[in-house]
Amino acid sequence: MMVLVEHHVGECIMKPVLRILAVFFVLLSARAALAEADGPDYFRLRVDGTVGLYEDLTPGAKRLGTLPVAAEGLRNLGCKGLPTYAQWSAMSAEARQAAAENAWCRVEFLGQGGWVRHAYLGEGAPPQSPGFDCAEASGQVETMICKNPALILLDRQMNAAFKLAVEAASSLDERPADAVSLLRARQRGWIKGRNDCWKSQDVASCVKDETERRLSILHVEWNLVPPAKQRSYRCGENAAIVLSYYDLLPRNAIAVEYGDRWAVFVAGDSRNKGRFEGSFGRWVELDGSQALLKLDQKKPTWQCEGI
């Protein structure tokens, strides 16, 4: 009798447990399916080409800018066009794929929000470490970067862009080894300059500014993204110029071709959106169809009119 009683009691206990486990696994499966339908908390770009960020989903929506290559840490603010769990459950694999390709997601990248096609996005994660090993961080700036999520993300973008720039330099037809050596030397020089931000009153802002500028320069100099638009200008008695505009996020840039020379200028203070700063005190200001260029500190400013 004792054995029968124990067996009966055990069976009474096991049945509710099995029911609970069954419900648990159903809910777990449903949650996984919903996660797939709603999207993850963070995205990354899963395409190599240019990806635009848009203000809204209306036809002809304003383009806010181009995401940098290999952009990651895109926080998911919600998607439209993805099916509900009930719809997803009833769909074929082909229908699910089509829905995912036609959907759009609102994301936030380095403080800039906007809409991106879901087809360009893959599951991502919040950035945990910069492009260097924090265990080997030295100095105030590197230590600070390792503790600042926004600077960690910027540094990871820098690391990705630099690797692609090295690949581009390595594939040049003429003297690729010299190009790679020069690129690496300039990057070391930039790192040294960035680390000198400890002297600034606002170290974090200095690091952010230096990194954003360098990120844009790498993208433009090594053709990691195409220009959003180009325009020719006539500059009085001076040579005509061609200006290529890059709406790269987080910092726009332009490239100016004049004669046999070429230079990159990066957007400066956000309060003066028409001004782009170059090296050695050079600058460009845009105002509608007009442009002012300071290409040499020892020479007068060029006044140019769009052609």
Side-chain angles (χ1 to χ4, degrees), residues 76-261:
N76 183 5
L77 302 181
C79 298
K80 288 188 176 181
L82 290 176
T84 64
Y85 174 59
Q87 294 169 332
W88 182 89
S89 300
M91 283 180 171
S92 65
E94 292 77 11
R96 292 172 186 170
Q97 180 67 24
E101 289 179 353
N102 293 323
W104 286 73
C105 296
R106 180 168 172 77
V107 300
E108 181 185 1
F109 178 73
L110 293 172
Q112 174 67 65
W115 291 89
V116 181
R117 284 192 62 188
H118 183 270
Y120 299 148
L121 303 172
E123 184 172 356
Q128 299 295 325
S129 59
F132 58 88
D133 186 354
C134 285
E136 299 180 0
S138 61
Q140 179 182 349
V141 168
E142 291 187 356
T143 301
M144 183 196 65
I145 291 174
C146 290
K147 298 178 181 179
N148 186 312
L151 295 181
I152 285 174
L153 179 54
L154 260 180
D155 194 78
R156 290 180 68 87
Q157 294 300 151
M158 171 64 68
N159 193 51
F162 179 69
K163 287 181 178 178
L164 289 175
V166 170
E167 290 179 10
S170 301
S171 63
L172 292 176
D173 293 333
E174 296 183 9
R175 304 175 66 179
D178 290 344
V180 171
S181 179
L182 179 59
L183 174 59
R184 291 189 183 280
R186 286 179 174 172
Q187 190 71 1
R188 287 193 297 270
W190 170 78
I191 292 173
K192 183 179 183 300
R194 179 206 64 187
N195 288 348
D196 282 343
C197 279
W198 69 268
K199 303 173 184 177
S200 174
Q201 292 184 345
D202 189 339
V203 178
S205 293
C206 177
V207 173
K208 177 177 179 292
D209 182 71
E210 291 294 325
T211 307
E212 287 180 353
R213 288 183 56 81
R214 181 61 179 162
L215 187 63
S216 293
I217 289 171
L218 284 175
H219 276 76
V220 175
E221 284 188 344
W222 295 99
N223 298 314
L224 302 185
V225 293
K229 57 185 177 181
Q230 292 181 311
R231 186 168 189 176
S232 297
Y233 289 79
R234 183 176 291 108
C235 305
E237 297 179 355
N238 300 299
I241 65 168
V242 176
L243 187 151
S244 301
Y245 175 74
Y246 297 79
D247 60 351
L248 187 69
L249 295 171
R251 195 71 72 97
N252 299 341
I254 58 174
V256 178
E257 298 177 56
Y258 53 107
D260 59 354
R261 302 177 68 183

